[in-house]
């Protein structure tokens, strides 16, 4: 039977299995048999009309079925299907070093291992010195990216970020140390990168990237590297790159898995060719909810740095038209072909997106990271404390993953991980008042929405989750 390969975000809805053998003579039959076996997968793969969601791509072996026969694409027992959901980026580099470019004796000593490589040499190192690369974000991906670009001698590195260093960043954001906690990320990053290479100019933009400032910022750079962790900014970066003609060196990460590509509309597909639309807000978990192996962004950030340097040098074969998939748990690398979508709304021959739009609205994001504003009934941690103190009659439901229960938990909670809620809903009664919580409120908001659709009316989401409880009510409880 054909085998369907499942990415990490979908495995909790399929019994944790990384792959499933299913019967089916066509792609549509195989997928229908998959969701028939694992009903929880249906809402992640199909919309209300029963059509495959636009942010879910299906590949037969290495080919996108959209460019084969879509659902009617035939399958044999030897075939495999890969489900590739989105996970929750000018001017070309100059063909030769700019006139008058030179390297000092100190720079020649510093870059000597480059200079003796025929693929780089003096000419290539001068290209790197003249290059201007913009990194969006200085987090897990941006840290190794910026460090290696600085060490390699990229002359001007732009950094866009507006956050401060938190101790939870230190597990993966190698630009920062314990002494930087509470500091501006850009101030700490500039200091670190200047220490790595004082010959590099660091240009900082301590502001949120928006539709109002993106084109102005992008204008002065040759290449943009997307290290963002949210869909609104990712689509903004893509569209701004298409409109300014810049290559977008892209990567994304989740738990043990990552993706990387180079989206450059002048030479191949853009990000919207792969994912025309974002997933509904909250459907795809963020790294803050799902976690990420601290080493993984280092691996993908180095891929981004490598692709960026190849573009500057004009050497090798960039990841244009190719999607690199990384599974660090099995240490396997796969590659899928990407095609330019002739109907793409931003890079196609008849674009309808000719200016930057409101990407928060486009992605349906109207809530903060805690899940506030999701439209589901909420209860504050202060109100929950009152209910517990008065010993009022209600059921507290924890929808986090089992390994999270070991970090901290309410002893009286009913523990039902979100992915198993549909088959465990009979453990709850519609007659009870129910409070649902997770880490920060996002997953529990989805659980409340599911329960309300299932007929539960006295159910509320704990705003801010157990982290907010630890922050405001019980400081002895660990936050994570």
């Amino acid at each position: 039977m054909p085998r369907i390969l499942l990415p990490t975000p979908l495995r909790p809805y399929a019994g944790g299995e990384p792959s499933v053998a299913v019967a089916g003579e066509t792609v549509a039959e195989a997928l229908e048999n998959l969701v028939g076996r694992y009903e929880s997968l249906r809402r992640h793969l199909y919309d209300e009309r029963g059509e495959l969601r636009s942010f879910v791509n299906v590949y037969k072996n290495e080919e996108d079925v959209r460019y084969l026969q879509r659902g009617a694409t035939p399958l044999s027992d030897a075939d495999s299907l890969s489900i590739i959901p989105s996970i929750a980026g000018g001017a070309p580099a100059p063909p030769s070093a700019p006139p008058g470019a030179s390297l000092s004796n100190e720079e020649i000593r510093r870059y000597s291992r480059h200079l003796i490589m025929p693929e780089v040499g003096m000419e290539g190192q001068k290209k790197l010195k003249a290059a201007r690369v913009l990194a969006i974000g200085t987090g897990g991906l941006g840290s190794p990216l910026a460090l290696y670009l600085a060490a390699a001698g990229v002359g001007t590195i732009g950094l866009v970020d507006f956050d401060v260093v938190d101790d939870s960043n230190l597990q993966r954001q190698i630009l920062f140390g314990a002494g930087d906690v509470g500091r501006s990320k850009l101030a700490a990053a500039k200091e670190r990168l200047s220490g790595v290479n004082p010959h590099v100019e660091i240009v900082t933009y301590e502001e949120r990237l928006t539709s109002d400032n993106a084109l102005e910022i992008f204008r002065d750079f040759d290449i943009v590297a997307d290290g963002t962790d949210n869909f609104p900014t990712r689509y903004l970066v893509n569209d701004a790159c298409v409109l300014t003609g810049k290559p977008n060196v892209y990567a994304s990460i989740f738990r043990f898995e990552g993706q990387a590509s180079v989206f450059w509309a002048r030479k191949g597909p853009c990000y919207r060719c792969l994912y025309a639309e974002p997933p509904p807000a909250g459907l795809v978990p963020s790294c803050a909810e799902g976690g990420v192996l601290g080493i993984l962004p280092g691996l993908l950030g180095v891929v981004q740095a490598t692709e960026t340097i190849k573009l500057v040098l004009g050497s090798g074969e960039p990841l244009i038209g190719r999607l690199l998939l990384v599974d660090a748990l099995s240490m396997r690398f796969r590659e899928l072909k990407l095609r330019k979508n002739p109907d793409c709304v931003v890079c196609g021959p008849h674009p309808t997106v000719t200016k930057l739009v409101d990407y928060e609205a486009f992605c349906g994001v109207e809530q903060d990271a805690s899940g506030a504003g999701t439209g589901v009934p909420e209860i504050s941690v202060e109100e929950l404390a009152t209910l517990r103190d008065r010993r009022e009659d209600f059921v507290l439901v924890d929808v986090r993953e089992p390994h999270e229960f070991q970090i901290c938990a309410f002893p009286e909670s009913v523990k039902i991980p979100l992915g198993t809620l549909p088959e465990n809903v009979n453990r709850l009664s519609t007659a009870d008042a129910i409070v649902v919580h997770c880490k920060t409120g996002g997953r529990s908001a989805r659980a409340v929405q599911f329960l309300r659709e299932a007929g539960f009316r006295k159910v509320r989401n704990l705003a801010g989750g157990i982290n907010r409880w630890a922050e405001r009510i019980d400081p002895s409880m660990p936050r994570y």
Side-chain angles (χ1 to χ4, degrees):
M1 290 189 289
R3 182 163 289 273
I4 299 181
L5 308 179
L6 298 172
T8 298
L10 297 183
R11 291 176 190 174
Y13 307 98
E17 295 295 329
S19 64
V20 180
V22 295
E25 296 184 357
T26 66
V27 168
E29 290 179 7
L31 291 176
E32 184 56 40
N33 288 334
L34 174 70
V35 298
R37 187 184 308 179
Y38 301 106
E39 188 62 33
S40 299
L41 275 174
R42 188 177 297 275
R43 65 185 294 265
H44 290 269
L45 299 182
Y46 293 95
D47 60 22
E48 295 77 8
R49 298 168 296 177
E51 298 178 357
L52 199 65
R53 293 185 181 271
S54 59
F55 62 88
V56 175
N57 294 324
V58 179
Y59 279 73
K60 172 186 173 181
N61 303 324
E62 296 182 358
E63 290 286 346
D64 190 332
V65 299
R66 292 179 299 176
Y67 303 104
L68 298 174
Q69 300 173 46
R70 296 183 178 269
T73 302
L75 294 177
S76 70
D77 289 346
D79 288 328
S80 64
L81 290 180
S82 298
I83 299 176
I84 311 295
S86 49
I87 57 178
S96 60
S102 63
L103 301 176
S104 67
N105 289 346
E106 183 182 350
E107 288 174 300
I108 289 174
R109 289 194 302 273
R110 174 182 285 268
Y111 306 127
S112 61
R113 298 304 189 273
H114 275 175
L115 302 181
I116 59 178
M117 295 173 61
E119 296 85 355
V120 183
M122 286 290 288
E123 183 79 7
Q125 194 63 50
K126 290 176 182 177
K127 290 183 185 180
L128 290 170
K129 185 174 182 178
R132 301 177 62 85
V133 176
L134 180 67
I136 312 297
T138 57
L141 292 168
S143 288
L145 168 70
L147 281 168
Y148 274 103
L149 293 182
V154 170
T156 303
I157 300 174
L159 304 174
V160 182
D161 210 319
F162 60 94
D163 205 355
V164 297
V165 181
D166 183 79
D167 51 9
S168 66
N169 300 151
L170 303 182
Q171 166 251 15
R172 64 200 177 281
Q173 298 181 16
I174 57 175
L175 266 175
F176 314 117
D180 295 316
V181 172
R183 292 183 66 193
S184 154
K185 280 190 173 181
L186 287 193
K190 185 171 184 176
E191 181 179 296
R192 176 75 187 281
L193 295 174
S194 297
V196 169
N197 191 346
H199 302 286
V200 172
E201 180 184 5
I202 308 299
V203 181
T204 59
Y205 300 88
E206 194 152 11
E207 55 190 305
R208 184 188 297 271
L209 190 72
T210 68
S211 298
D212 294 327
N213 62 20
L215 297 180
E216 182 70 19
I217 293 174
F218 284 23
R219 182 184 61 185
D220 294 330
F221 293 89
D222 307 315
I223 298 168
V224 177
D226 180 5
T228 59
D229 60 357
N230 65 85
F231 289 111
T233 310
R234 187 164 296 158
Y235 280 91
L236 167 60
V237 170
N238 176 78
D239 293 0
C241 281
V242 173
L243 295 176
T244 56
K246 315 287 184 181
N248 172 11
V249 182
Y250 155 83
S252 62
I253 51 176
F254 182 77
R255 290 189 176 168
F256 283 89
E257 295 182 4
Q259 302 175 355
S261 189
V262 174
F263 297 113
W264 194 356
R266 289 184 177 179
K267 296 179 177 289
C270 76
Y271 182 75
R272 283 195 193 237
C273 292
L274 179 62
Y275 301 115
E277 296 177 355
L283 188 61
V284 177
S286 66
C287 289
E289 285 188 324
V292 62
L293 179 69
I295 301 164
L296 184 67
L299 179 59
L300 272 297
V302 168
V303 170
Q304 285 183 288
T306 305
E307 291 300 303
T308 299
I309 289 175
K310 284 161 56 181
L311 290 175
V312 172
L313 297 176
S315 298
E317 183 183 352
L319 280 172
I320 298 172
R322 296 183 290 148
L323 182 67
L324 180 68
L325 303 178
V326 179
D327 183 344
L329 199 57
S330 62
M331 199 48 75
R332 287 192 173 92
F333 293 73
R334 292 194 296 137
E335 182 183 298
L336 302 176
K337 296 178 182 178
L338 302 181
R339 298 178 187 268
K340 198 171 182 70
N341 182 358
D343 299 320
C344 180
V345 296
V346 67
C347 79
H350 305 290
T352 56
V353 176
T354 56
K355 62 181 181 180
L356 300 181
V357 300
D358 182 344
Y359 291 89
E360 298 283 329
F362 172 66
C363 294
V365 177
E366 297 178 356
Q367 70 269 11
D368 60 25
S370 70
T374 53
V376 301
E378 290 186 333
I379 181 174
S380 70
V381 291
E382 291 81 6
E383 291 172 309
L384 176 62
T386 299
L387 291 181
R388 296 178 88 222
D389 290 344
R390 292 178 178 174
R391 300 184 181 276
E392 295 197 17
D393 190 20
F394 73 98
V395 176
L396 184 61
V397 178
D398 187 341
V399 295
R400 297 175 299 155
E401 294 300 305
H403 56 269
E404 293 178 87
F405 304 153
Q406 301 173 26
I407 301 172
C408 59
F410 294 105
E412 75 273 25
S413 63
V414 177
K415 297 171 177 62
I416 307 176
L418 179 61
T420 69
L421 185 57
E423 55 263 41
N424 285 287
V425 71
N426 58 352
R427 294 174 59 187
L428 305 173
S429 170
T430 56
D432 290 331
I434 298 173
V435 175
V436 187
H437 86 83
C438 63
K439 176 187 174 184
T440 57
R443 284 172 286 176
S444 51
R446 299 197 294 276
V448 169
Q449 185 176 29
F450 170 82
L451 290 173
R452 286 177 62 82
E453 292 172 355
F456 290 77
R457 290 293 173 264
K458 296 187 291 183
V459 56
R460 290 181 286 176
N461 180 37
L462 180 63
I466 199 168
N467 264 11
R468 187 170 294 174
W469 174 273
E471 177 186 3
R472 296 184 180 179
I473 306 299
D474 184 4
S476 69
M477 179 177 283
R479 295 170 58 200
Y480 66 103

